Structure formats: structure tokens, C-alpha cells
Amino acid sequence: MPAMSEKKIRPEDDGRDFASAAWSIPSYLLSGMILYGGAGWLLSKWTGVIAFTPIGLILGVSLAVYLVYRKYGR
């Protein structure tokens, strides 16, 4: 295994990691809000308790932030 200073830079590593992160982070956040917010909305419609929608949104954003931290924060 080569040392880090001997590692060759490949042409495909020309900033695509940054572009990938720039698109996937908002995607995680929107997906979390849509998925868990939608589940909370459905649960609110089913039970008649309005509080499930904001709880679902907050839970979705919290889990999405955690996933972003696990993937890019290290």
C-alpha cells in the first residue's frame, strides 16, 4: 500500500467529491423532511392529532443531519 504522499491523483478526482456532497446533503435533508413529515401528516390525518406533523418534520431533519454527519463529518 503506497504512502499518502505517493498516492497518485486520478483525473476523475478533480472536485467531483465536493460536487457530490453539495448535491447529496440537501437531498438528505429534503428526503428526511418529506419522508418523516409525510408519515407524520398521514398519522395526523388518521388520528386527528395535529402534533404528529411537526414531530415528523423535526424527527426527519434530525435524522438527516445525523446521516450527513456520519457520512461527511469524519
Side-chain angles (χ1 to χ4, degrees):
M1 182 161 214
M4 291 190 75
S5 60
E6 297 173 359
K7 192 174 184 181
K8 293 183 181 180
I9 296 175
R10 297 178 298 175
E12 59 268 7
D13 291 340
D14 59 355
R16 292 182 189 169
D17 290 339
F18 176 75
S20 174
W23 280 103
S24 65
I25 291 172
S27 298
Y28 274 115
L29 294 173
L30 284 173
S31 298
M33 286 182 0
I34 290 170
L35 181 69
Y36 286 97
W41 178 77
L42 286 174
L43 196 57
S44 291
K45 287 293 214 182
W46 185 51
T47 62
V49 178
I50 250 176
F52 286 123
T53 302
I55 290 171
L57 287 170
I58 292 169
L59 181 65
V61 169
S62 300
L63 289 173
V65 168
Y66 174 71
L67 287 174
V68 167
Y69 171 74
R70 291 279 299 179
K71 186 168 186 177
Y72 297 106
R74 293 181 173 196

